[in-house]
Amino acid sequence: MCFPRLNNLRFWLLPFRAVFILSSFFIGTGPGTGWTIYPPLSRFLGHSNNRVDLVIFRLHLAGLRSIAGSINFLCTINNLKAAALSWFNIPLFLIRVWVTAFLLVLRLPVLAGGITILLFDRNMNTSFFDPLGGGDPVLFQHLFWFFGHPEVYILILPGFGLVSHAVIIRRGKAITFGAPGIFLAIVSIGVLGCVVWAHHMFRVGIDMDTRLYFTAATIIIAVPTGIKVFSWVSSFRGRFFETGRVQLWVIGFLFLFTVGGLTGIILANRTLDLLYHDTYFVVAHFHYVLRIGAVFTIIVGLTTWWPVFTGVSFNNIIREIQFFVLFLGVNLTFFPIHFLGIQGIPRRYREYSPRFSFWHATASLGRIISIVATILLFFLWWEALSAQRLIFFINWKSVTIERIFKAPVTLHTNYEMASLRYLKG
């Protein structure tokens, strides 16, 4: 990294951030604003003690840590990459990390400005978000979602990079199919993700032309996203298809992400969003795309690089069982929620009509199965480390730098930059 001491600073800010967020829970009944901290609920009339102030300080520290780390990543990728690498043949994981870091540096100051103004409203008698003083509470929603929607891509883009590398490693190919197209798709998602924030706000009274623009811009994001999905699927072409363990996780991720993307196109429509906003349909959408989609990408990475990290292998039977149990559990949990949302069940309500009990019971059963799968995942890791099935050679089908080292790769393996030769075609 370019700035190792900056990384160290990020780490030592973490305990102070934890102190602020934990302290807020012990003041009164804790911060009751939800994760969006919308005014007027988060203003002094809604929460008259210091719990919201502590949450704001915690967000400032978290933003400072993220900006410091993002600057480190940007400078490292820009300045320390090999001279033989152009932007179009940099590993796709690094491209996604670069776009993620750029989005953080661009958007976190906006969130910091919004919560700082909220701090002024709470403690200095200003009225930026108070209609009685000429302010506008909708302004905070614009500032919040101007950061909040790119945050979705910030969370999922590195996972896309893991999937791209796992596909080529297990399929024995030099690069992902259509790598230049994937590069442009990543950049397009980063750019378009910055201009679609108000699709979270179709119900606040914005005018028809503005809603039309944000509907169109949101639907356009489906184009670069579809390019990535078709490129991953096409990367399996040309070799005998194996239903290996990593392939199962990749296929599971593609299914979940595609389902979530299709429901996202539905919610992008300004008319349908008026019906489905703040219902279980939205809950099902972002869980398919972000929650379980991102979790599957993390497990793809762990499954692929576990031998490199540890030098031992998984029990293949337990690994396949764990995949199918988790895949069944998450789909039983969140797919029925689509039907509840279409029927109008709102978010954050504890009570519901008995006629909706069947789908709620199905989702609860899926949650129990998912918990069992999570316990099985931890057991899988423990079993692999306990059994010590040693790996002396990383039998990957593609030619990568990890393949020339023994497993696990030891510290300080590379004392100097490896010699690179890029073969076109």
Side-chain angles (χ1 to χ4, degrees), residues 332 336 339-340 352-365:
L332 270 181
F339 306 137
L340 293 172
Y352 51 87
S353 172
R355 65 192 180 94
F356 301 117
S357 298
F358 174 74
W359 291 123
H360 278 90
T362 304
S364 298
L365 175 62

Side-chain angles (χ1 to χ4, degrees), residues 18-68:
V19 168
F20 279 127
I21 190 63
L22 292 176
S23 300
S24 65
F25 292 126
F26 295 102
I27 299 177
T29 57
T33 60
W35 73 283
T36 53
I37 58 173
Y38 283 168
L41 182 59
S42 58
R43 296 186 77 251
F44 194 77
L45 289 177
H47 288 79
S48 57
N49 48 29
N50 295 327
R51 46 192 167 171
V52 175
D53 298 332
L54 292 174
V55 172
I56 292 174
F57 290 142
R58 173 255 178 187
L59 290 173
H60 275 302
L61 285 180
L64 181 61
R65 293 182 68 251
S66 297
I67 290 175

Side-chain angles (χ1 to χ4, degrees), residues 47-171:
H47 288 79
S48 57
N49 48 29
N50 295 327
R51 46 192 167 171
V52 175
D53 298 332
L54 292 174
V55 172
I56 292 174
F57 290 142
R58 173 255 178 187
L59 290 173
H60 275 302
L61 285 180
L64 181 61
R65 293 182 68 251
S66 297
I67 290 175
S70 299
I71 292 173
N72 212 348
F73 278 115
L74 290 173
C75 293
T76 301
I77 296 173
N78 285 341
N79 301 329
L80 299 186
K81 70 181 180 67
L85 291 176
S86 69
W87 282 103
F88 278 98
N89 54 41
I90 283 180
L92 291 174
F93 179 72
L94 290 184
I95 293 296
R96 287 169 166 86
V97 170
W98 192 95
V99 174
T100 299
F102 178 79
L103 289 174
L104 281 169
V105 172
L106 181 68
R107 293 309 179 107
L108 275 170
V110 178
L111 176 67
I115 59 179
T116 301
I117 294 173
L118 178 61
L119 197 65
F120 288 169
D121 275 12
R122 286 180 51 82
N123 297 282
M124 298 186 180
N125 205 28
T126 59
S127 54
F128 291 99
F129 303 134
D130 185 4
L132 297 178
D136 185 4
V138 176
L139 172 62
F140 182 85
Q141 294 192 32
H142 281 288
L143 295 174
F144 178 86
W145 288 113
F146 190 78
F147 157 81
H149 186 76
E151 176 69 14
V152 174
Y153 302 107
I154 288 166
L155 293 173
I156 197 67
L157 278 176
F160 289 163
L162 295 176
V163 171
S164 297
H165 283 274
V167 167
I168 63 175
I169 285 171
R170 306 311 301 182
R171 302 310 299 160

Side-chain angles (χ1 to χ4, degrees), residues 118-411:
L118 178 61
L119 197 65
F120 288 169
D121 275 12
R122 286 180 51 82
N123 297 282
M124 298 186 180
N125 205 28
T126 59
S127 54
F128 291 99
F129 303 134
D130 185 4
L132 297 178
D136 185 4
V138 176
L139 172 62
F140 182 85
Q141 294 192 32
H142 281 288
L143 295 174
F144 178 86
W145 288 113
F146 190 78
F147 157 81
H149 186 76
E151 176 69 14
V152 174
Y153 302 107
I154 288 166
L155 293 173
I156 197 67
L157 278 176
F160 289 163
L162 295 176
V163 171
S164 297
H165 283 274
V167 167
I168 63 175
I169 285 171
R170 306 311 301 182
R171 302 310 299 160
K173 296 188 176 182
I175 58 175
T176 311
F177 178 87
I182 294 181
F183 170 82
L184 295 175
I186 298 166
V187 176
S188 300
I189 288 174
V191 173
L192 291 172
C194 294
V195 294
V196 296
W197 73 91
H199 64 218
H200 296 272
M201 304 167 51
F202 282 150
R203 276 193 175 183
V204 302
I206 54 180
D207 61 88
M208 184 65 69
D209 292 337
T210 304
R211 284 194 287 167
L212 179 62
Y213 158 73
F214 281 106
T215 295
T218 304
I219 293 176
I220 289 173
I221 293 185
V223 175
T225 304
I227 290 173
K228 293 201 308 298
V229 172
F230 284 114
S231 294
W232 287 327
V233 173
S234 299
S235 296
F236 287 104
R237 180 180 176 274
R239 292 183 62 92
F240 178 72
F241 185 77
E242 302 173 0
T243 56
R245 287 87 193 173
V246 176
Q247 283 91 326
L248 287 176
W249 286 106
V250 172
I251 294 169
F253 161 74
L254 291 177
F255 172 80
L256 297 171
F257 186 73
T258 302
V259 171
L262 293 174
T263 57
I265 294 176
I266 295 173
L267 290 171
N269 187 294
R270 65 189 189 279
T271 304
L272 293 176
D273 187 76
L274 294 177
L275 300 174
Y276 297 146
H277 185 77
D278 268 346
T279 66
Y280 270 15
F281 194 88
V282 177
V283 175
H285 160 67
F286 72 70
H287 276 85
Y288 261 92
V289 172
L290 187 59
R291 295 296 187 266
I292 53 181
V295 167
F296 269 55
T297 62
I298 293 171
I299 299 179
V300 165
L302 285 173
T303 305
T304 304
W305 281 276
W306 179 269
V308 181
F309 296 154
T310 64
V312 297
S313 64
F314 287 120
N315 183 303
N316 290 330
I317 296 177
I318 300 177
R319 182 160 58 166
E320 290 190 10
I321 292 174
Q322 193 271 331
F323 165 78
F324 286 111
V325 173
L326 182 61
F327 188 76
L328 174 65
V330 295
N331 280 285
L332 270 181
T333 302
F334 296 110
F335 202 82
I337 292 179
H338 290 101
F339 306 137
L340 293 172
I342 291 173
Q343 296 176 77
I345 295 291
R347 300 168 62 183
R348 307 185 184 98
Y349 276 59
R350 295 179 58 189
E351 302 294 334
Y352 51 87
S353 172
R355 65 192 180 94
F356 301 117
S357 298
F358 174 74
W359 291 123
H360 278 90
T362 304
S364 298
L365 175 62
R367 178 176 60 87
I368 295 172
I369 295 175
S370 301
I371 293 173
V372 173
T374 304
I375 296 172
L376 194 59
L377 178 64
F378 286 108
F379 173 77
L380 176 67
W381 296 343
W382 173 82
E383 193 276 339
L385 295 174
S386 301
Q388 288 293 303
R389 289 177 292 272
L390 299 180
I391 295 176
F392 298 100
F393 178 70
I394 303 173
N395 188 23
W396 286 351
K397 296 178 180 178
S398 64
V399 179
T400 60
I401 195 170
E402 293 95 338
R403 189 174 181 179
I404 67 177
F405 302 127
K406 66 178 183 179
V409 177
T410 57
L411 295 176

